[in-house]
Amino acid sequence: ISKTRLYEGAGGGGEEEAKAARRVLVYILDTSLRLLHPYMPYVTEQLWHHIPRPSATEDQVAHALMLADWPQMDDEVPLTTSEEAVSSFESFQALTRSIRNARAEYNVEPGKRISATIVAKGSLKDEISAEVKSLVALAKLDPEQVIVVEAGSDEAKAAAAVESVQLVVQDGVEAYLPLSGLIDPVKERKRLEKQSEKTVNDLRVFES
């Protein structure tokens, strides 16, 4: 998900968006290295010197991870969390997983990009629309043939009318993947004929 914010080739390019992603990634890596340092001192020390970090204070003998402050947590103050954000991200994960599972089930070539219509309602539609670049990257979708529409809208009804695979991700989130983009009719017919022939041969072996 960070890649779509950091790299222009992955759909990003916004400077403010890229800066925010870098700050989050550096904070996570810095905290993780501090926590891991007692168990992996040499590796974490080396890695820590390659990330942006605050300048050494006057009371520090050396600017080293082994002398850096241990991450602190005030037990009396709960961690800042957003149940709405967690729920939205879980919905995004479930949507991505469903599309990838469908690709595997229909034997879609790994590098082939497919079209999709995502149907969601309310705030979920807005959240998925905001992360559509990440969805395109993670689920191998065609960026020019991906739309996110409101549940119950004319666009949603039109997507349901097309011959497609319907994925019910959860209450309020569905995806429609047109069959024309998932399978090649000629290749699929050959595959099924080959599978049928193999099944008939296996049955003959069992009968004999």
Side-chain angles (χ1 to χ4, degrees), residues 102-199:
R103 290 178 61 99
E105 183 178 346
Y106 284 88
N107 296 314
V108 179
E109 297 176 1
K112 182 179 180 180
R113 296 192 175 275
I114 61 176
S115 58
T117 299
I118 313 302
V119 180
K121 60 183 179 181
S123 60
L124 271 177
K125 173 185 174 295
D126 297 333
E127 294 291 341
I128 294 173
S129 297
E131 292 295 340
V132 71
K133 292 184 294 185
S134 299
L135 182 64
V136 165
L138 293 170
K140 288 289 184 181
L141 302 178
D142 186 341
E144 297 181 356
Q145 298 184 32
V146 177
I147 57 173
V148 183
V149 301
E150 182 71 31
S153 64
D154 292 338
E155 292 89 345
K157 294 175 182 177
V162 176
E163 188 175 7
S164 58
V165 176
Q166 180 184 10
L167 306 175
V168 180
V169 180
Q170 65 178 52
D171 183 30
V173 181
E174 297 180 356
Y176 293 90
L177 311 179
L179 282 174
S180 58
L182 285 177
I183 60 175
D184 183 324
V186 176
K187 291 183 179 179
E188 184 66 11
R189 187 178 296 109
K190 290 182 179 180
R191 186 185 72 81
L192 292 175
E193 289 175 353
K194 187 175 181 180
Q195 184 177 345
S196 176
E197 183 180 347
K198 181 179 183 302
T199 302

